[in-house]
C-alpha cells in the first residue's frame, strides 16, 4: 500500500514528520518499505498563463510565447512542446529558478529569439508522470503562485508492506484508523450523504452462487461525459499512490479503492445484454479481459455475466467487451462483497494479480458497499455529470460473515505481554480500533468490526494491545525458570545423533518442500495416490509428497546442473499418504531418507576412483542401524519396486516388519528425472531407527576364546545372513562371535554353488572350553546347516 503523507493528514493529524511516522507505523506492525519525495528538488517555478503562442521564425518545432506569471511584464519564452497553446495554464521556471539536478535557469537566446524562462514538463520537475509535453494546469490555477505550493509537492509517499492478515489497512481509512489509535487522535471521517435517484433506470441482479458472493450492488448512471478532465487533486492522489490517471470513470473507481479499500467496476451499460448474473463459469468458457488477453475459464472461477456471456472475472478483472470507452454515455456501477476463498488463488492461476484480487483475497469489509457506492456516485456526477438511478441490491444475509465476539482476560494479557497495562488504557486502545468493547469482571468482551478478518481468538486481541502499546515500550526482562531434569528414555536414540552419524559419513542435510511435482512423483510411485493442493504456488509443486525421494532427487539435479558430480544428501521429514482411517484423512509418517551418487571418494593420487554402488548405500545404512545396539533385529531382503533397479534393491525389516527400502534408481527413470548419473537412495521410518536396545552389563570372561573357521558350500540362492542367523541360534551362548570373511565362486565349486567362509569365536564365562565341547558345538552347527540349507563342508 502506497500513500502520501498529506492525504493521510487530511484524515488524521499525527503531528509527526515523515521519518517519525514511518518509524511509528513500522513498530506497530505495518512495515515501511520506503519514503520518497513526491517531486524533485526545485524552486521558483510559478503558475503562468500562455498569453501568446506563435511559430518560431527559424525553427519548425519551436514556438515563441509570452507568459503571464503575475509580474509587471510578460515573459518571452521559447518552447518546443507540441501541446503549448494560447490560454493554457502552465508551470513556468523563471530566471533564477533551480530545477532538479541543480539545473539553473538563465536568460538565453534560442535561434535568435530571447527566452527568459522555461515551460516545464512533469519529468523536468522530478514528478513521475508520463506525458509528451509541458504540464497543463487547471484553468482555475492562480497565476503567480508557486507550483510547489499549488500542487502540494512538499510531501512524501510512504510505501507500507502489509502482512496478508492486515487487509483493513489497504486503504486510507484503515491507515488513518491505525495512526489515530497510535497517536490517540480522532479520525476525520468524511460525510457521505446518499445520492438521490433522479431516474428510474435499473438492472436486474441475480446471485446464482450466494455463498461466494452474498452481496452485489448495482447502479445505473446515464448521460455522463467520459471526456471530462479528472481533477488535478484526484490525479495527484492517485499518482502518489502509484496509480496512473486514465479517464474520470476509472480514476473514480481507483480513488474509492484507495480511499476505502473497496474495489469497484464500471460497465458500459449499452454493451450489457439483460441483467447481471453472478455465477460460476462454465468449463472452457472464454473471456477477453480489459488488457486484450483472452482467458479460458475453469468451472470454479466466479464470474459476472449478463444474460448471454461472462463480462468480468469477479473480483479480479473486467472484460474488454463491456469496458468504458470514449463513446460511453451510460454506465453501470458495481460494488460487491466476495468471500475471500472464492477469489483466493484464482488470479494467480490465470497469471494475473490486480489491486482488486489483492484485496478480495485478504478480505474486504462486508458492510462497506452502500457507503462506497454513494461516494463513487457523487464523484461521478460531480466530475462527469449525468443522472443516477436507484441502488439495486442482491443480498443473501445467511451467507454474509457474522461479527465475532472475543473475550480478553486481564490475567491472560499480563501473562503474555509480561507487564501490567492499565485497564482504562486497554479499553481506549480497543475502542479506537473500532471494536465494540464491554468491560467484564475479569477483562473485556469485544465485538469484532466487519473490516477485521484477522481477529478471532483471545491472542489476537493481546497482539493488538501489545503493538498499539508499543513493542519498544515493553521492558527487556530476562526470563527466570527453575531447573528441572529432562525426561529422557535411554531406549530412545535422538534424531540429532542419527544426523551426526550421516554427517560423519560425508552427507549433507537437505530441506526440501513438502509439495512436489506430481509428474515426477508419479514416475517413482505410479500406484501411490497423492494429495493434490487446490491452490498450489506452482504447477510443479501441486502434490504432497508420498516419499522424500522426489525432493532429494530435485536437489541432486540442481547440484548436478552446477557441476557437482559427487553428492551425499539426507533429509528428515514427513510423508503424506491419503488414509481414511487416519486423522483428517491423511497418514503422516516421519522418515529419514538419503541419496548418494558420483565417485566413492574425491579424486586422489593414492586412491582408485570408482562410482558408488548398492553396497555403499547399504553400508551407510548399516552404520545407522549399529547405533541401535540391536543390529541383529534388522534384516535386508530382496525386493522389487518399479522405481528401483530390480537387481539392486532391498527392503529393510525390523523384527520381521518392513520399515524401509534402499537401492539404485531404475536406469529407465534417470533421464526422465533429470539425473546425469546413477543414483542410490534409501528411506527408513524414523521410529524404527530411534528405538534402540538398552545395553545390559554382563560378566567379562576371564577364560580364553577359541576361533574356528568353517568353509561351507551352499546354493547360490541362499542368503549369507540366513546362514549367520542359524549359526547364532544353534551355537547358543558359547558362540560369542560370528563373521563372514570370504565368498568364493570359481574353480572347484559348481556353477550353481558358492563357498562361504565363516569365523566362529567360542568362549565361556565360567571355564575354559575343552576341545570336545568345541567340536560338538561345531558338529551341531554343521548338522543344522545341512538340514536347513543343504550345506556341506568344503573339501
Amino acid at each position: 500500500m502506497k500513500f502520501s503523507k498529506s492525504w493521510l493528514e487530511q484524515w488524521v493529524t499525527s503531528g509527526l514528520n515523515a521519518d517519525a511516522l514511518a518509524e511509528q507505523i513500522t513498530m506497530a506492525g505495518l512495515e515501511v518499505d520506503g519514503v520518497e519525495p513526491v517531486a524533485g528538488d526545485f524552486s521558483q517555478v510559478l503558475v503562468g498563463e500562455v498569453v501568446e503562442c506563435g511559430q518560431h521564425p527559424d525553427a519548425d518545432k519551436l514556438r515563441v510565447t509570452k507568459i503571464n506569471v503575475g509580474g509587471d511584464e510578460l515573459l518571452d519564452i521559447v518552447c518546443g512542446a507540441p501541446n503549448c497553446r494560447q490560454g493554457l495554464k502552465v508551470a513556468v521556471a523563471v530566471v533564477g529558478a533551480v530545477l532538479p539536478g541543480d539545473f539553473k535557469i538563465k536568460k538565453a537566446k534560442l535561434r535568435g529569439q530571447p527566452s527568459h524562462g522555461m515551460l516545464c514538463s512533469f519529468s523536468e520537475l522530478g514528478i513521475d508522470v508520463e506525458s509528451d509535453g509541458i504540464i497543463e494546469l487547471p484553468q482555475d490555477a492562480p497565476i503567480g503562485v508557486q507550483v510547489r505550493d499549488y500542487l502540494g509537492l512538499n510531501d512524501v509517499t510512504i510505501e507500507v508492506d502489509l502482512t496478508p492478515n492486515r487487509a483493513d489497512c489497504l486503504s486510507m481509512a484503515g491507515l488513518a484508523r491505525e495512526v489515530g489509535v497510535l497517536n490517540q487522535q480522532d479520525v476525520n471521517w468524511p460525510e457521505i450523504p446518499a445520492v438521490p435517484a433522479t431516474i428510474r433506470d435499473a438492472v436486474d441482479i441475480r446471485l446464482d452462487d450466494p455463498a461466494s458472493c452474498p452481496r452485489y450492488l448495482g447502479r445505473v448512471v446515464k448521460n455522463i461525459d467520459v471526456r471530462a478532465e479528472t481533477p488535478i487533486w484526484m490525479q495527484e492522489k492517485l499518482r502518489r499512490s502509484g496509480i496512473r490517471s486514465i479517464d474520470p470513470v476509472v480514476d473514480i473507481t481507483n480513488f474509492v479503492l484507495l480511499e476505502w479499500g473497496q474495489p469497484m467496476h464500471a460497465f458500459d451499460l449499452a454493451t450489457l445484454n439483460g441483467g447481471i448474473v453472478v455465477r460460476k463459469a462454465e468449463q472452457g468458457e472464454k473471456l477477453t479481459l480489459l488488457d486484450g488477453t483472452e482467458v479460458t475459464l475453469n468451472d470454479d472461477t466466479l464470474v459476472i455475466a449478463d444474460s448471454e456471456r461472462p463480462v468480468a472475472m469477479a473480483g479480479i478483472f473486467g472484460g474488454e467487451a463491456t469496458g468504458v470507452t470514449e463513446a460511453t454515455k451510460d454506465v453501470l456501477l458495481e460494488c460487491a462483497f466476495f468471500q475471500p476463498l472464492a477469489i483466493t488463488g484464482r488470479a494467480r492461476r490465470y497469471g494475473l494479480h490486480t489491486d482488486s484480487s489483492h484485496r478480495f483475497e485478504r478480505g474486504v469489509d462486508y458492510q462497506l458497499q452502500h457507503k462506497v457506492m454513494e461516494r463513487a456516485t457523487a464523484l461521478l456526477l460531480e466530475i462527469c455529470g449525468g443522472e443516477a438511478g436507484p441502488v439495486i441490491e442482491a443480498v443473501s444475509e445467511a451467507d454474509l460473515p457474522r461479527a465475532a465476539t472475543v473475550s480478553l482476560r486481564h490475567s491472560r494479557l499480563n501473562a503474555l505481554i509480561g507487564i501490567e497495562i492499565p485497564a482504562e488504557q486497554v479499553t481506549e486502545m480497543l475502542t479506537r480500533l473500532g471494536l465494540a468493547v464491554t468491560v467484564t469482571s475479569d477483562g473485556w468482551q469485544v465485538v469484532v468490526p466487519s473490516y477485521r478478518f484477522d481477529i478471532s481468538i483471545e491472542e489476537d486481541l493481546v497482539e493488538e494491545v501489545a503493538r498499539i502499546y508499543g513493542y519498544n515500550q515493553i521492558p527487556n526482562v530476562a526470563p527466570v525458570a527453575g531447573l528441572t531434569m529432562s525426561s529422557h528414555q535411554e531406549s530412545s536414540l535422538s534424531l540429532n545423533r542419527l544426523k551426526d552419524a550421516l554427517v560423519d559419513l560425508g552427507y549433507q542435510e537437505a530441506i526440501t518442500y513438502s509439495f512436489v511435482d506430481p509428474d515426477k512423483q508419479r514416475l517413482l510411485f505410479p500406484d501411490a495416490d497423492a494429495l493434490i493442493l487446490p491452490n498450489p504456488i506452482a504447477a510443479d509443486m501441486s502434490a504432497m509428497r508420498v516419499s522424500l525421494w522426489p525432493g532429494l532427487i530435485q536437489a541432486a539435479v540442481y547440484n548436478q546442473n552446477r557441476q557437482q558430480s559427487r553428492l551425499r544428501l539426507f533429509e528428515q521429514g514427513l510423508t503424506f499418504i491419503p488414509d481414511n482411517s487416519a486423522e483428517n484423512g491423511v497418514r503422516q509418517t516421519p522418515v529419514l531418507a538419503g541419496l548418494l551418487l558420483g565417485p566413492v571418494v574425491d579424486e586422489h593420487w593414492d586412491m582408485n576412483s570408482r562410482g558408488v554402488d548398492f553396497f555403499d548405500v547399504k553400508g551407510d545404512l548399516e552404520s545407522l542401524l549399529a547405533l541401535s545396539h540391536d543390529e541383529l533385529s534388522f534384516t535386508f531382503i530382496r525386493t522389487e519396486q518399479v522405481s528401483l533397479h530390480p537387481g539392486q534393491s532391498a527392503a529393510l525389516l525390523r523384527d520381521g516388519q518392513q520399515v524401509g527400502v534402499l537401492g539404485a534408481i531404475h536406469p529407465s527413470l534417470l533421464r526422465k528425472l533429470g539425473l546425469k548419473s546413477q543414483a542410490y537412495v534409501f528411506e527408513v521410518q524414523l521410529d524404527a531407527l530411534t528405538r534402540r536396545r538398552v545395553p545390559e552389563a554382563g560378566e567379562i570372561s576371564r577364560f580364553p576364546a577359541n576361533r574356528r573357521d568353517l568353509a561351507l558350500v551352499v546354493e547360490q540362492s541362499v542368503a549369507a545372513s540366513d546362514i549367520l542367523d542359524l549359526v547364532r541360534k544353534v551355537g547358543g551362548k558359547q558362540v560369542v562371535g560370528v563373521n563372514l570373511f570370504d565368498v568364493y565362486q570359481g574353480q572347484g565349486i559348481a556353477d550353481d554353488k558358492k563357498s562361504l567362509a565363516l569365523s566362529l569365536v567360542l568362549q565361556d564365562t565360567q571355564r575354559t572350553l575343552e576341545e570336545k565341547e568345541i567340536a560338538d558345538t561345531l558338529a551341531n552347527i554343521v548338522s543344522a546347516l545341512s538340514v536347513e540349507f543343504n550345506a556341506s563342508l568344503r573339501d
Side-chain angles (χ1 to χ4, degrees):
M1 176 68 185
K2 193 174 183 180
F3 65 95
S4 72
K5 184 175 181 294
S6 63
W7 193 6
L8 179 66
E9 293 289 343
Q10 294 175 11
W11 285 76
V12 61
T13 303
S14 66
L16 303 174
N17 60 35
D19 292 337
L21 178 62
E23 172 69 15
Q24 184 183 65
I25 60 179
T26 295
M27 293 306 298
L30 312 180
E31 183 179 356
V32 172
D33 274 353
V35 179
E36 296 179 355
V38 301
D41 186 14
F42 64 86
S43 61
Q44 288 302 305
V45 179
L46 310 178
V47 175
E49 181 179 13
V50 181
V51 177
E52 295 180 11
C53 183
Q55 184 66 45
H56 193 290
D58 298 322
D60 293 338
K61 295 184 178 181
L62 296 180
R63 290 174 174 80
V64 178
T65 66
K66 288 189 178 295
I67 308 297
N68 177 17
V69 292
D72 296 334
E73 297 180 355
L74 299 179
L75 300 180
D76 293 318
I77 297 178
V78 177
C79 175
N83 62 328
C84 182
R85 60 188 181 274
Q86 186 177 355
L88 188 66
K89 291 289 184 68
V90 293
V92 184
V94 299
V95 173
V98 180
L99 301 185
D102 199 27
F103 179 68
K104 298 178 181 179
I105 302 299
K106 302 176 182 178
K107 290 182 179 182
K109 282 189 177 184
L110 295 178
R111 295 288 186 92
Q113 296 295 319
S115 184
H116 300 164
M118 175 179 172
L119 304 188
C120 301
S121 66
F122 282 107
S123 61
E124 287 164 342
L125 298 183
I127 300 175
D128 185 18
V129 174
E130 295 180 7
S131 63
D132 295 329
I134 57 177
I135 300 173
E136 298 187 20
L137 296 174
Q139 285 301 305
D140 59 356
I143 294 173
V145 172
Q146 294 281 349
V147 169
R148 180 172 289 277
D149 296 333
Y150 174 67
L151 295 179
L153 299 179
N154 294 316
D155 190 14
V156 296
T157 60
I158 300 176
E159 186 169 4
V160 179
D161 184 15
L162 297 171
T163 52
N165 64 317
R166 292 309 307 273
D168 61 297
C169 289
L170 286 169
S171 66
M172 293 305 303
L175 290 168
R177 186 186 300 111
E178 286 289 307
V179 174
V181 175
L182 295 172
N183 295 284
Q184 299 180 346
Q185 296 290 326
D186 294 332
V187 178
N188 302 316
W189 298 106
E191 293 185 7
I192 303 179
V195 177
T198 55
I199 57 176
R200 295 184 178 180
D201 297 68
V203 172
D204 292 332
I205 301 171
R206 188 176 82 240
L207 303 179
D208 284 358
D209 189 359
S212 299
C213 176
R215 172 173 282 149
Y216 190 98
L217 274 63
R219 188 173 204 173
V220 172
V221 182
K222 305 191 74 173
N223 300 319
I224 65 170
D225 180 11
V226 179
R227 295 183 178 86
E229 185 73 17
T230 301
I232 191 69
W233 62 265
M234 183 178 290
Q235 292 186 40
E236 277 297 291
K237 282 182 167 60
L238 293 174
R239 178 183 74 82
R240 298 177 197 188
S241 299
I243 296 179
R244 181 172 59 90
S245 176
I246 299 175
D247 63 55
V249 178
V250 175
D251 291 349
I252 288 168
T253 57
N254 284 334
F255 177 78
V256 171
L257 170 75
L258 294 172
E259 194 174 47
W260 294 99
Q262 170 68 54
M264 293 187 69
H265 185 64
F267 297 104
D268 186 334
L269 186 63
T271 61
L272 293 175
N273 300 307
I276 290 292
V277 182
V278 184
R279 60 172 173 84
K280 288 288 177 61
E282 297 177 5
Q283 185 66 35
E285 206 167 14
K286 295 186 182 299
L287 172 65
T288 302
L289 304 176
L290 283 169
D291 61 359
T293 303
E294 184 181 73
V295 294
T296 301
L297 301 171
N298 297 321
D299 56 9
D300 64 345
T301 302
L302 193 67
V303 297
I304 311 300
D306 59 14
S307 59
E308 299 179 357
R309 59 190 170 162
V311 296
M313 293 175 66
I316 300 175
F317 219 138
E320 183 180 54
T322 56
V324 175
T325 66
E326 290 186 357
T328 300
K329 295 294 184 184
D330 308 323
V331 296
L332 172 68
L333 292 178
E334 69 147 22
C335 187
F337 170 73
F338 302 109
Q339 292 285 5
L341 289 179
I343 309 299
T344 300
R346 306 304 192 277
R348 189 184 307 113
R349 184 181 304 168
Y350 296 100
L352 302 172
H353 181 79
T354 63
D355 289 334
S356 178
S357 66
H358 186 77
R359 286 164 171 79
F360 277 125
E361 285 180 342
R362 288 155 175 77
V364 170
D365 185 352
Y366 56 88
Q367 294 183 356
L368 189 62
Q369 288 71 44
H370 281 280
K371 178 187 293 186
V372 169
M373 179 63 80
E374 300 294 352
R375 175 64 165 157
T377 303
L379 289 170
L380 187 61
L381 296 179
E382 177 186 343
I383 297 171
C384 299
E387 302 170 291
V391 177
I392 305 301
E393 178 184 23
V395 62
S396 174
E397 295 287 350
D399 293 301
L400 285 172
R402 295 288 179 266
T405 300
V406 184
S407 296
L408 174 61
R409 293 165 292 170
H410 209 152
S411 57
R412 182 63 172 166
L413 176 66
N414 295 340
L416 289 180
I417 296 181
I419 61 172
E420 176 82 22
I421 300 179
E424 297 78 8
Q425 189 174 354
V426 174
T427 303
E428 182 186 14
M429 292 177 188
L430 298 176
T431 302
R432 286 188 178 276
L433 283 170
L435 284 66
V437 182
T438 302
V439 179
T440 63
S441 58
D442 61 347
W444 303 265
Q445 188 178 67
V446 304
V447 178
V448 181
S450 55
Y451 50 81
R452 291 302 297 267
F453 281 75
D454 61 316
I455 298 178
S456 58
I457 59 176
E458 186 176 27
E459 284 70 18
D460 293 332
L461 293 176
V462 174
E463 179 188 4
E464 292 299 297
V465 173
R467 69 182 189 83
I468 298 302
Y469 180 78
Y471 296 124
N472 53 350
Q473 294 190 54
I474 299 176
N476 294 324
V477 179
V480 177
L483 296 177
T484 57
M485 294 294 293
S486 62
S487 59
H488 177 71
Q489 294 184 345
E490 193 176 356
S491 61
S492 295
L493 182 65
S494 71
L495 175 60
N496 285 338
R497 180 66 185 91
L498 295 170
K499 290 183 177 181
D500 288 343
L502 287 170
V503 171
D504 292 341
L505 291 170
Y507 286 75
Q508 291 182 318
E509 184 173 9
I511 300 176
T512 66
Y513 286 105
S514 298
F515 21 91
V516 297
D517 187 336
D519 296 332
K520 297 290 180 63
Q521 181 162 265
R522 201 174 295 114
L523 288 173
L524 293 166
F525 307 98
D527 299 327
D529 293 328
L531 295 170
I532 303 300
L533 301 177
N535 297 301
I537 60 176
D540 60 352
M541 302 179 74
S542 59
M544 299 300 293
R545 64 189 181 192
V546 299
S547 166
L548 269 58
W549 289 352
L552 289 173
I553 290 172
Q554 184 179 2
V557 171
Y558 181 90
N559 279 272
Q560 280 192 323
N561 290 339
R562 285 153 183 81
Q563 291 78 49
Q564 300 300 313
S565 59
R566 183 177 183 272
L567 295 174
R568 303 288 188 279
L569 300 175
F570 77 90
E571 181 176 11
Q572 184 275 320
L574 295 174
T575 61
F576 305 87
I577 311 296
D579 186 348
N580 293 330
S581 63
E583 185 179 359
N584 298 324
V586 182
R587 184 173 75 254
Q588 302 183 43
T589 306
V591 297
L592 181 67
L595 176 146
L596 63 163
L597 55 78
V600 175
V601 295
D602 286 326
E603 187 176 8
H604 192 274
W605 66 272
D606 194 33
M607 296 182 183
N608 294 327
S609 177
R610 70 171 180 86
V612 295
D613 58 24
F614 173 80
F615 296 101
D616 291 310
V617 65
K618 181 173 179 285
D620 290 345
L621 189 52
E622 287 175 332
S623 298
L624 292 182
L625 304 182
L627 298 175
S628 69
H629 304 300
D630 195 19
E631 305 96 312
L632 297 182
S633 67
F634 292 95
T635 53
F636 294 91
I637 63 171
R638 183 187 300 271
T639 188
E640 290 190 5
Q641 186 168 320
V642 293
S643 58
L644 299 179
H645 193 296
Q648 300 185 43
S649 58
L652 175 65
L653 281 63
R654 184 166 193 178
D655 298 326
Q657 185 175 12
Q658 182 169 334
V659 295
V661 67
L662 69 154
I665 298 294
H666 199 290
S668 65
L669 299 180
L670 294 177
R671 178 169 295 182
K672 297 177 182 178
L673 295 171
L675 291 167
K676 299 179 180 179
S677 61
Q678 182 64 66
Y680 295 82
V681 292
F682 68 84
E683 184 170 87
V684 186
Q685 295 176 14
L686 192 60
D687 62 349
L689 294 175
T690 55
R691 286 185 287 116
R692 66 178 175 181
R693 182 169 59 87
V694 178
E696 296 179 5
E699 182 181 359
I700 298 176
S701 178
R702 296 174 296 164
F703 302 97
N706 299 272
R707 170 172 169 159
R708 297 291 185 270
D709 293 344
L710 293 177
L712 303 171
V713 177
V714 296
E715 300 286 342
Q716 286 193 19
S717 60
V718 175
S721 60
D722 294 337
I723 298 287
L724 297 176
D725 289 341
L726 186 59
V727 170
R728 294 187 188 97
K729 180 179 179 181
V730 175
K733 293 184 178 180
Q734 286 186 349
V735 177
V736 297
V738 182
N739 182 47
L740 174 68
F741 66 87
D742 184 55
V743 178
Y744 174 73
Q745 290 176 275
Q747 185 176 0
I749 304 296
D751 292 340
D752 60 342
K753 304 283 187 178
K754 61 183 177 182
S755 172
L756 304 179
L758 309 179
S759 67
L760 283 68
V761 178
L762 296 90
Q763 189 178 32
D764 195 285
T765 59
Q766 303 298 324
R767 57 191 172 82
T768 300
L769 291 176
E770 297 182 0
E771 189 62 34
K772 183 179 183 307
E773 292 178 293
I774 295 174
D776 290 344
T777 299
L778 292 177
N780 291 336
I781 290 173
V782 172
S783 176
L785 291 172
S786 176
V787 173
E788 186 72 21
F789 300 109
N790 194 27
S792 62
L793 291 175
R794 181 179 172 186
D795 295 336

